Amino acid sequence: MRRRLSLAGLLAAPMLWLVVAYLGALAVIFATAFWSTDPFTNQVVRTFTLDNFHSLLSDPTYLRIIARTLLIAATVTVACALIAIPFAFFMAKVAPRRIRGLLIALVLVPLWASYLVKAYAWRTMLGPGGVLDATVGATPGYGLTALVITLTYLWLPFMILPVYAGLERLPDSHLEASADLGAGNWTTFRRVVLPAIKPSIAAGTIFTFSLSLGDYIAVQIVGGNLQVLGTAVLQNITLDLPFAAALGTTSALIMVIYLLAVRRTGALENL
Amino acid sequence: MRRTTFARAVALSAVTALALSGCGGTTTTTAGTTGGFVPPPLKPLAKLGAPEGSVNVLAWPGYVEDGSNDKTVDWVTDWEKTSGCKVNIKTFGTSDEAVQLMRTGQYDTVSASGDATLRLIAGGDVEPVNTALITNYPDIFDALKNKPWNSVNGVVYGIPHGRGANLLMYRTDKVKPAPDSWSAVFGGAAAHKGAVTAYDSPIYIADAALYLMKTQPGLGIKNPYALDAKQLAAAVALLKAQKANVGEYWSDYLKAVQAFKAGSTVVGTTWQVIANLAQSEKAPVAVTLPKEGATGWSDTWMVSAKSPHKTCAYKFIDHMVSPKVNAQVAEYFGEAPANRKSCALTVDKNHCAVFHANDEAFFSKIYYWNTPIPQCLDGRTNVRCTDYAQWTKAWTSIRNS
């Protein structure tokens, strides 16, 4: 009995935090999405309506924004995976054990710098007269390409770390056995390594995908006149809060669907 | 497994309870959308009490400077010592943001433009001001007092602060010859494709409407804030065409300064203070008032109805419109002062002449930011005009197109 009490005492604070601050906020967003605004004062009118979801689904501009945001999130995720897998493989299997710690530290270092500093650094690099312009002679300018580059840079460590952890768990003997049985490097990678780290990759994509889906700051800094879900929420927050909440609900819904899909790969146990 | 089910049940019931308590709140009253609406019955402050120790100010960038942006630009620090009111400054980038922040009830006073004032009054967020408590009120230009955007039925809600025009800024090294028309950002914007900027707020539709008013008289626009459905559609079409040439929209003035300095933006609408900052950072920029005239602002200081620091708020407003400080703000922000005695106190003795402080003929060409309402502001009665909600939707569709 006493053990139960102390356990309850221990869990009370985090549970309160989770339920009130975390789920409570989500619930309020969800509830707000069913209200409307006064057209003159922009104040929230608390009467139930489905108008927000109706205009969201019937207006092609918002469907385009959702599609654009999904495309960006998917591109960033694929780019992160393509860079992270060889890098993590090198760290876990090729590099001498004593420099592994150093490599991990190098991957983590950018995380210590502020998000804003990194995004503004890319703004300067991609701008006219920036590093790219001065060395290559051309720059994609602010827009979709600049955004994908910046987000890929920002979220890369979140992909490298789980993939590295997955490769660490893969015994070297498996690679040797595969080689002994006559498989080439590519076959070994495709039939031994990839299946083993699939859950780790899926775990990494949860970070890169969800962070890209919700981002609205990097878009404003390097996205030019690009509009994504996050900036559409921001734009509506001052003018039409319930509609902003409906947009927010959409991105939460997309994430839930994504998580359910990822759960089937068993990746949630790899986080 | 059973334990997880239990935890889920607890979480679910808590969420439901929260959602229900949210839904059960009082319904907000809907203010009428007519020009002659009845504001909530609020009384102005009768007399000043003891200073409460602090005042939370919501202001346009450049209005309230305490030396934190530029050590030489400070008209707050000394006043804090003598008044007994510590000033906490929060700046905003658009009127919509100001309305949203003011609604939180955390701010005591706000420098509101004409496209925010009526929303704040109708929402009961601000209360009437007792002009007898503002010692500098008699010195304010009469042309600024008792206007439709700072008073309702003769009841004063705001103390005039200053007025000015939205200008056209351009990089002198990239935009040649120097533009003298808004066509630089509309009809002729393609010349600087990807390097044009525009202000990121529904009120910017008025800039397009003003341009159409001068260039397409057939549309019959008489006032850029009084647009019927057909006129609004024309303005929206113009802005959608403009978007193809826009590199970035701005509402953060510091970002606008940076974009012009770096050269990623070379032409677009701006405020004088942005031009001043860019020039102080050695960016080759210049501003002009285009021949079509311009949209502009006539700002007033308003007092929050929920303010616990009203004495400090009144003292602060009185300080802001006092001759010396009003002169400093007017020069720093680049606008015409509201206090007629300020004209003798500016560093540049020509400031009031350059900014047309007492030139009503000039300001008749400037269309101050105003809230569009269904009753056409230009006096037409045979048609319904589009209101701000429609402008908001239109702006969203432009930005998302």
Side-chain angles (χ1 to χ4, degrees), chain B residues 174-243:
Chain B
K174 303 256 173 73
V175 182
K176 288 173 184 169
D180 67 341
S181 159
W182 287 114
S183 67
V185 294
F186 293 118
H192 301 286
K193 190 174 169 60
V196 175
T197 194
Y199 186 55
D200 194 1
S201 164
I203 207 69
Y204 186 67
I205 291 172
D207 285 55
L210 176 76
Y211 178 70
L212 291 175
M213 183 167 109
K214 302 289 166 150
T215 54
Q216 292 187 32
L219 283 166
I221 298 174
K222 296 277 175 279
N223 177 329
Y225 303 97
L227 306 178
D228 59 36
K230 196 171 128 261
Q231 294 164 340
L232 179 67
V236 168
L238 182 64
L239 290 165
K240 281 189 174 166
Q242 181 198 40
K243 195 191 175 211

Side-chain angles (χ1 to χ4, degrees), chain B residues 234-253:
Chain B
V236 168
L238 182 64
L239 290 165
K240 281 189 174 166
Q242 181 198 40
K243 195 191 175 211
N245 301 310
V246 169
E248 290 181 291
Y249 290 86
W250 69 273
S251 62
D252 176 348
Y253 77 118

Side-chain angles (χ1 to χ4, degrees), chain A residues 4 7 15 19-20 23-25 27-28 31 35 38-47 59 61-62 64-65 68 120 123-124 127-129 142 220-227 232 235-241 243, chain B residues 3 11 14-15 18 22-23 25-33 37 96-97 99-100 103 118-119 122-123 125 200 202 243 246-249 255 258-259 262-264 371 373 387-389 392 395-397 399-401:
Chain A
R4 288 202 146 204
L7 189 68
M15 274 304 282
V19 171
V20 175
L23 297 175
V28 170
W35 291 336
D38 182 281
F40 181 56
T41 62
N42 299 129
Q43 276 172 323
V44 174
V45 180
R46 292 174 183 177
T47 45
D59 189 341
T61 49
Y62 291 106
R64 270 207 297 277
I65 290 183
R68 189 183 302 146
Y120 268 104
R123 182 180 167 87
T124 319
Y142 303 134
Q220 291 179 71
I221 297 171
V222 298
N225 63 13
L226 202 67
Q227 192 84 318
Q235 197 199 354
N236 278 288
I237 238 168
T238 52
L239 300 164
D240 191 346
L241 192 65
F243 190 70
Chain B
R3 201 164 287 169
V15 169
L18 261 168
C23 291
T26 50
T27 44
T28 33
T29 48
T30 314
T33 51
F37 70 89
D96 302 320
E97 203 183 329
V99 171
Q100 167 83 2
R103 290 245 154 91
L118 288 186
R119 277 186 271 167
D125 302 300
D200 194 1
K243 195 191 175 211
V246 169
E248 290 181 291
Y249 290 86
K255 204 179 132 192
Q258 195 273 338
S264 57
T371 312
I373 51 176
D387 62 13
Y388 196 65
T392 302
W395 185 249
T396 311
S397 77
R399 288 288 276 111
N400 296 334
S401 63

